[in-house]
């Protein structure tokens, strides 16, 4: 019932109101490569110098929502204009001691953990505002994690279009088929965001999924 | 001592979403591993993660969570009425404090619960 009402109201907005900007969210567990993919999109469509944020091997590098407005993708006569929302990685546990392994001092590790917990809360709160979501997974890691299932389950319950990206296909352990069998009802595209491998297919799939 | 607490679905079925999440959090924060019959709604799962993050401290590092459910019914009509009648009672949910449950590995047909080493060492009187 709510979905129908939402659809009806969106239809009215389209007819009488100003065209709403699509919010495209990047969601996923920490260290999957959401910011690397965001940076790739920005470089490809906004220019070489523009980046969304810093990517790092240390988990929870992105601890605040980052938004890049008015990205326009044009491909094969199709066009998609959206605001890209890069979100902090969603996790069920955060231990500052994990950051100490990356030679971070205790004070910084504690601060990072504190910011990371807030980041997870913000990412969840923003789910309601998304018009479409790209779920970014590390294709070298087992996809059957509860965080992945919870994120995708929530998007399905909210009727939000989803595209799954299996990142890091340049690595030996990458297994896109495993992601496909874990989430057979969704389109899965394998990419390497840092190397720019297969990103064309990602844009093609994005144009199909987000209408 | 490690406590495994079973929560039957009828213990939570009449609770509001917030009450369900609070009940589970209270048990987990008592260092119990919860085995709940059925599963939470997707929105309740995210609420549980949100609440967990709000409560992270030096002692409470978060949770490990895993839902195990049988293959979903393809017939949406039948699924809707089963849910209307009995709720999301199929399968089960495991929730444990991250200080005790290091990881829950799930493959389609198997769930492995890995317990934290530090806990085992402490139990044996070693540091």
């Amino acid at each position: 019932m709510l979905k129908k009402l939402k659809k009806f109201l969106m239809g009215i907005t389209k007819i009488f109101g100003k065209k709403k900007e699509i919010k495209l969210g990047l969601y996923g567990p920490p260290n999957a490569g959401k910011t690397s993919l965001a940076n790739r999109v920005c470089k490809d469509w906004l220019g070489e110098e523009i980046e969304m944020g810093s990517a790092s091997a240390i988990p929870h590098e992105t601890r605040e929502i980052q938004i890049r407005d008015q990205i326009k993708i044009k491909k094969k006569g199709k066009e998609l204009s959206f605001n890209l929302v890069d979100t902090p990685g969603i996790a069920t546990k955060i231990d500052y001691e994990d950051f100490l392994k990356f030679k971070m001092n205790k004070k910084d590790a504690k601060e990072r953990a504190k910011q990371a917990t807030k980041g997870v809360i913000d990412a969840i709160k923003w789910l309601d505002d998304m018009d479409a979501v790209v779920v970014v997974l590390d294709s070298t890691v087992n996809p059957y994690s509860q965080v992945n299932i919870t994120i995708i389950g929530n998007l399905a319950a909210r009727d939000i279009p989803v595209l799954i990206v299996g990142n890091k296909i340049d690595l030996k352990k990458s297994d896109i088929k495993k992601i496909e069998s874990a989430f057979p009802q969704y389109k899965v595209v394998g990419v390497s965001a840092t190397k720019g491998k297969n990103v064309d297919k990602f844009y093609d799939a994005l144009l199909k999924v987000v209408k | 001592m490690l406590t495994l607490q079973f929560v039957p679905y009828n213990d939570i079925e009449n609770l509001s979403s917030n009450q369900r999440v609070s009940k589970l959090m209270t048990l987990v924060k008592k260092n119990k591993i919860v085995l709940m019959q059925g599963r939470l709604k997707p929105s309740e799962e995210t609420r549980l993660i949100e609440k967990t993050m709000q409560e992270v401290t030096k002692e409470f590092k978060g949770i490990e969570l895993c839902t195990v459910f049988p293959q979903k019914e393809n017939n949406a009509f039948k699924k809707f009425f089963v849910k209307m009648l009995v709720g999301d009672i199929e399968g089960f949910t495991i929730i444990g404090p991250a200080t005790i449950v290091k990881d829950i590995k799930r493959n389609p047909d198997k769930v492995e619960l890995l317990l934290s080493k530090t806990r085992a060492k402490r139990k044996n009187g070693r540091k």
Side-chain angles (χ1 to χ4, degrees):
Chain A
M1 187 71 184
L2 271 174
K3 281 175 197 169
K4 278 184 183 169
L5 186 68
K6 194 179 162 189
K7 229 176 186 177
F8 174 71
L9 289 173
M10 275 173 77
I12 288 186
T13 315
K14 267 185 190 171
I15 296 165
F16 299 106
K18 196 182 152 190
K19 198 182 171 192
K20 191 190 152 211
E21 280 288 343
I22 289 172
K23 279 200 196 81
L24 177 68
L26 295 177
Y27 275 82
N31 259 48
K34 296 176 290 299
T35 304
S36 298
L37 185 63
N39 287 342
R40 171 62 55 189
V41 172
C42 290
K43 274 183 186 172
D44 287 350
W45 302 99
L46 296 175
E48 279 297 320
E49 287 83 35
I50 297 169
E51 283 209 335
M52 189 105 178
S54 65
S56 155
I58 310 172
H60 299 284
E61 180 67 11
T62 306
R63 299 182 294 283
E64 283 178 2
I65 303 278
Q66 306 285 333
I67 307 169
R68 178 69 63 182
D69 289 338
Q70 293 177 336
I71 297 177
K72 200 177 272 183
I73 291 178
K74 279 183 185 174
K75 229 171 163 273
K76 296 171 190 168
K78 287 182 183 170
E79 196 177 302
L80 177 67
S81 185
F82 57 88
N83 297 337
L84 187 62
V85 184
D86 184 21
T87 66
I90 295 181
T92 58
K93 59 179 178 184
I94 291 170
D95 186 351
Y96 80 90
E97 286 177 4
D98 290 340
F99 302 132
L100 299 176
K101 294 169 196 161
F102 295 90
K103 293 178 181 168
M104 194 176 276
N105 70 50
K106 208 170 176 178
K107 192 184 163 202
D108 289 348
K110 280 185 176 175
E111 186 56 31
R112 191 181 182 95
K114 195 177 161 189
Q115 291 170 356
T117 56
K118 196 182 164 294
V120 175
I121 296 167
D122 288 344
I124 290 171
K125 284 200 163 70
W126 271 72
L127 263 174
D128 271 331
D129 292 329
M130 297 301 156
D131 299 299
V133 165
V134 175
V135 176
V136 184
L137 305 180
D138 180 342
S139 65
T140 67
V141 173
N142 182 7
Y144 293 96
S145 90
Q146 190 60 41
V147 163
N148 299 346
I149 292 165
T150 300
I151 296 170
I152 292 170
N154 264 271
L155 295 166
R158 288 170 162 88
D159 211 18
I160 296 171
V162 172
L163 171 64
I164 300 178
V165 165
N167 191 24
K168 309 187 188 182
I169 56 164
D170 54 312
L171 301 180
K172 262 189 179 176
K173 280 172 76 183
S174 167
D175 190 348
I176 293 297
K177 286 212 158 55
K178 203 167 184 183
I179 299 178
E180 285 171 340
S181 62
F183 304 105
Q185 59 277 55
Y186 295 96
K187 171 82 181 153
V188 178
V189 186
V191 304
S192 166
T194 49
K195 303 256 162 74
K197 205 173 165 184
N198 224 26
V199 284
D200 264 355
K201 282 193 179 157
F202 162 64
Y203 296 130
D204 288 339
L206 197 59
L207 285 163
K208 276 184 194 161
V209 171
V210 188
K211 287 166 192 167
Chain B
M1 190 175 62
L2 196 67
T3 312
L4 192 69
Q5 171 104 32
F6 178 63
V7 178
Y9 191 78
N10 58 17
D11 265 18
I12 61 153
E13 70 174 321
N14 295 320
L15 300 180
S16 68
S17 290
N18 278 340
Q19 286 171 327
R20 286 180 181 193
V21 169
S22 295
K23 184 184 172 83
L24 295 170
M25 274 301 288
T26 306
L27 291 171
V28 172
K29 286 193 82 178
K30 283 180 186 165
N31 279 342
K32 291 176 178 177
I33 297 175
V34 177
L35 182 64
M36 189 188 92
Q37 184 187 11
R39 63 178 300 192
L40 297 169
K41 292 176 195 160
S43 59
E44 290 167 350
E45 279 178 17
T46 43
R47 178 73 196 107
L48 181 66
I49 297 175
E50 240 184 301
K51 193 158 173 61
T52 301
M53 287 299 119
Q54 285 163 355
E55 304 214 2
V56 165
T57 59
K58 201 179 163 190
E59 290 76 31
F60 180 69
K61 319 264 186 192
I63 58 168
E64 277 296 340
L65 168 71
C66 179
T67 54
V68 183
F69 43 91
Q71 283 298 315
K72 284 283 175 189
E73 176 63 60
N74 285 329
N75 184 336
F77 189 71
K78 191 175 164 189
K79 192 168 79 180
F80 176 76
F81 279 103
V82 168
K83 266 194 178 182
M84 286 281 285
L85 292 171
V86 295
D88 211 347
I89 197 169
E90 283 182 288
F92 58 93
T93 304
I94 306 166
I95 312 162
T99 40
I100 295 174
V101 183
K102 194 181 169 193
D103 198 6
I104 303 177
K105 284 190 177 173
R106 180 230 308 264
N107 275 306
D109 308 316
K110 189 172 71 175
V111 176
E112 290 172 305
L113 214 65
L114 306 173
L115 300 184
S116 165
K117 263 186 190 172
T118 16
R119 186 179 164 82
K121 279 180 186 172
R122 269 189 211 136
K123 210 179 160 187
N124 294 331
R126 282 181 275 145
K127 268 196 171 180

